[in-house]
Amino acid sequence: MKTTILLCIGASLVYTTMALAADKGFVMDGTKRTITLPAPSVSLINGPGRDITSSYCNICHSLDYITTQQKFPEARWHAVVTKMVKTYGAPITEMNVDIITHYIATYYGTGK
Amino acid sequence: MKSQGISRRNFIKTVGITTALAATGTVPPLLYASERRLVTFPEKTELLLLTSRPPQLETPLKYFRELITPNEALFVRWHLADIPTSVDLATWRLVIHGNVEQQISLSMDDLKKFEKVVYTAVIQCAGNGRSFFNPPVFGGQWLNGAMGNVTWGGVRLKDILNKAGLKTGSMEVVFKGLDKAVLPATPNFLKSLPLDKALEDDIIVAYEMNGRELPMLNGFPVRLVVPGWYATYWVKSLSDIEVGVKPTDSFWVKTAYRIPDNPCGCVEPGTAPKKTVPINRMTTRSLLINPEDGSQLKSGQPVELMGVAFSGGYSIKEVLVSVDGGMNWRPARLGKDIGRYSWIQWFYPWQPAKPGNYHVMVRATNSIGESQPLDALWNPSGYLLNNIEKHNLIVT
């Protein structure tokens, strides 16, 4: 009897551990479902303008929005960063738009 | 790094394998623009990472060997970073308001009292395949994994709208989800459908994917399903339906997700369209899924090429296969037809006689004669991609 109970507890512990592993970041609590998203950990190449680029772009999205793009010239990136300000309301001054644009075009674009 | 002689897809496969073990609780940093790493998000299997905040995850092609795409493998695409991560069905409601007889507020139990509708439909991001555009365009650089074939279960939008009672003068229906922008100045994501489209029988508010609840990242508790149309309309974590008397002036309808206003939805590469319309029905596509591009085969040994074909709401009538770069075409055998919104599988037995590089091409045609262009058509937003793909199979 005692052995059976212990075996059952042992088995359910194994089962619980497996369930947790399979549902990583997911919790069901009665009628409430909650997920926990993994933290982004993208870092940009070191260079002039990197910190300004990281801090402003990171307000709204992870930096892989930059790193996964294809190679574009500076004028195209300028249009995109300007869209972030004009369309999406990013609080970036004109001077910082230029710094960000130049940084991205240099390290992730075609350079000009 | 991408080296010469390795196809893009092959490269991605290699990177995927080497980084699979690194996929843990945090998203590993991207080192090179063209890399795609496998990551695991809640309720999802290992998917290819496009962006992590908001999450945009792509389905590895191997899952398309099956007729139905599993819930945990379906792609993920959010627009704004404040996405719903916690929903309590005890308090969640779907509100229908605007130009209606009476505003209604439906719980999940209320929703399930309407007649249930179930069918299988392809869900595909408007920008699926954008990374193959030439010249390249800005936007999520998806490969071909921003699609899937899912059996949806839910209730007709029409039934819900009729319950609220449409008043005269209604012109369109606006859909909003629980996702929000980070900054108050950013336009929140919403989509609208013209009233006559919204009242079509097949448009549903879905609470089931493949017989189960939706994963949070695919729009739990309910999402709109507009079969045959691109997924931009399939609003996730739908919570608010508003009947309007005039067209919405939202950025997401008036400016974004638009295509050139002509039959091909295309313009000369590098140019801007004079007039645009909201994106709508999906173009016809066919894809080779197995063996994958760049695979090696043995001469004299039989192999079965397989893939999928689909179009925007019309059944696939024919899939033709060429194993000699487009000189000769022969019909593939089609799998079971489970409805006009589903994709259909195609199979083509082949026994390469001699060693060499073979260029395999596939072309689908639907029941109203829509097919695929030999060369990719171009538009500035990178939508509607459906050219005949050329795959390289190496026979030794």
Side-chain angles (χ1 to χ4, degrees):
Chain A
M1 185 67 182
K2 214 172 189 178
T3 322
T4 316
I5 292 167
L6 280 176
L7 273 175
C8 285
I9 293 169
S12 68
L13 274 177
V14 170
Y15 179 75
T16 311
T17 315
M18 280 168 65
L20 282 176
D23 298 339
K24 201 168 181 201
F26 172 78
V27 178
M28 182 91 192
D29 178 12
T31 53
K32 189 175 174 186
R33 294 161 70 102
T34 304
I35 59 167
T36 307
L37 297 169
S41 65
V42 194
S43 47
L44 298 178
I45 297 166
N46 202 4
R50 182 185 83 156
D51 293 348
I52 286 176
T53 305
S54 291
S55 40
Y56 280 106
C57 300
N58 246 329
I59 295 173
C60 292
H61 58 77
S62 52
L63 301 171
D64 36 27
Y65 269 73
I66 298 167
T67 60
T68 56
Q69 286 303 319
Q70 301 206 37
K71 290 195 178 298
F72 291 104
E74 187 160 339
R76 297 281 305 277
W77 272 112
H78 193 270
V80 168
V81 179
T82 302
K83 184 181 173 187
M84 297 302 147
V85 177
K86 298 252 164 84
T87 305
Y88 298 104
I92 313 176
T93 61
E94 261 181 57
M95 192 183 80
N96 282 336
V97 166
D98 290 344
I99 291 171
I100 291 168
T101 300
H102 188 71
Y103 168 80
I104 298 176
T106 304
Y107 294 96
Y108 296 96
T110 58
K112 308 181 214 174
Chain B
M1 244 178 300
K2 192 166 170 178
S3 56
Q4 284 186 342
I6 302 176
S7 77
R8 185 187 172 98
R9 198 165 297 165
N10 233 6
F11 170 70
I12 286 150
K13 199 165 61 183
T14 314
V15 170
I17 291 161
T18 53
T19 56
L21 294 170
T24 52
T26 58
V27 180
L30 275 166
L31 297 175
Y32 307 106
S34 56
E35 277 192 19
R36 292 285 184 275
R37 288 159 186 279
L38 286 168
V39 290
T40 311
F41 272 61
E43 301 177 275
K44 308 301 285 183
T45 189
E46 286 184 331
L47 299 175
L48 298 160
L49 176 70
L50 184 56
T51 64
S52 44
R53 173 179 169 262
Q56 300 190 86
L57 313 170
E58 177 157 353
T59 307
L61 289 185
K62 65 177 181 184
Y63 288 101
F64 304 146
R65 292 175 195 169
E66 302 300 325
L67 181 60
I68 301 295
T69 311
N71 290 7
E72 47 282 356
L74 187 68
F75 76 96
V76 171
R77 193 272 189 265
W78 292 87
H79 298 83
L80 303 166
D82 188 1
I83 69 169
T85 54
S86 187
V87 174
D88 189 345
L89 285 183
T91 52
W92 173 85
R93 295 291 181 273
L94 175 60
V95 178
I96 296 91
H97 64 113
N99 197 44
V100 291
E101 299 293 345
Q102 56 162 350
Q103 175 171 326
I104 55 173
S105 176
L106 304 170
S107 67
M108 182 59 85
D109 287 342
D110 296 333
L111 261 187
K112 288 183 175 173
K113 285 177 193 144
F114 290 92
E115 187 189 348
K116 187 176 179 183
V117 177
V118 177
Y119 56 76
T120 302
V122 170
I123 175 169
Q124 183 185 212
C125 177
N128 196 26
R130 182 181 287 122
S131 64
F132 304 119
F133 266 65
N134 184 23
V137 293
F138 271 104
Q141 299 297 313
W142 300 104
L143 306 165
N144 277 327
M147 63 176 195
N149 198 39
V150 171
T151 302
W152 306 95
V155 299
R156 287 185 197 92
L157 173 63
K158 184 177 85 169
D159 292 349
I160 298 173
L161 292 173
N162 286 339
K163 174 89 175 173
L166 293 167
K167 292 213 295 204
T168 53
S170 300
M171 263 191 78
E172 68 164 23
V173 185
V174 182
F175 306 91
K176 286 179 224 164
L178 296 171
D179 49 325
K180 287 191 179 65
V182 174
L183 298 171
T186 307
N188 273 325
F189 185 74
L190 61 84
K191 292 302 290 185
S192 67
L193 291 172
L195 186 67
D196 56 346
K197 178 68 188 173
L199 292 176
E200 282 182 5
D201 273 348
D202 293 343
I203 297 180
I204 61 171
V205 172
Y207 53 79
E208 271 181 18
M209 275 173 61
N210 299 324
R212 287 160 47 204
E213 289 170 314
L214 280 62
M216 193 75 80
L217 290 172
N218 292 116
F220 180 83
V222 299
R223 80 181 297 169
L224 194 66
V225 171
V226 187
W229 282 32
Y230 284 101
T232 180
Y233 293 98
W234 303 33
V235 175
K236 292 178 294 301
S237 62
L238 180 65
S239 59
D240 185 295
I241 300 176
E242 183 177 1
V243 179
V245 293
K246 58 176 180 10
T248 171
D249 59 359
S250 160
F251 161 77
W252 298 102
V253 177
K254 267 186 80 178
T255 312
Y257 284 109
R258 296 179 76 92
I259 53 171
D261 183 15
N262 59 43
C264 69
C266 67
V267 289
E268 271 301 301
T271 66
K274 286 189 187 70
K275 204 176 157 224
T276 61
V277 290
I279 195 168
N280 46 80
R281 277 182 55 223
M282 292 191 287
T283 53
T284 300
R285 295 194 77 181
S286 61
L287 294 101
L288 172 70
I289 301 301
N290 198 37
E292 281 186 44
D293 189 26
S295 294
Q296 293 207 2
L297 307 171
K298 286 254 179 288
S299 65
Q301 282 194 9
V303 60
E304 187 169 58
L305 310 181
M306 76 79 57
V308 299
F310 59 93
S311 83
Y314 295 88
S315 294
I316 294 298
K317 190 183 71 182
E318 182 183 59
V319 173
L320 298 176
V321 175
S322 170
V323 291
D324 56 13
M327 283 191 291
N328 296 288
W329 295 85
R330 289 201 176 80
R333 173 175 67 84
L334 297 182
K336 194 178 169 199
D337 184 353
I338 59 164
R340 64 196 179 105
Y341 297 120
S342 169
W343 67 35
I344 199 163
Q345 293 179 308
W346 61 263
F347 304 92
Y348 188 87
W350 184 43
Q351 192 167 347
K354 289 185 296 193
N357 276 3
Y358 289 81
H359 298 290
V360 176
M361 295 162 78
V362 192
R363 183 184 190 201
T365 305
N366 72 7
S367 63
I368 56 167
E370 292 170 340
S371 190
Q372 304 177 248
L374 194 55
D375 295 312
L377 304 175
W378 194 92
N379 57 66
S381 300
Y383 298 143
L384 312 173
L385 185 86
N386 77 327
N387 61 296
I388 298 169
E389 295 187 354
K390 255 188 208 158
H391 300 271
N392 197 27
L393 296 181
I394 303 133
V395 176
T396 57

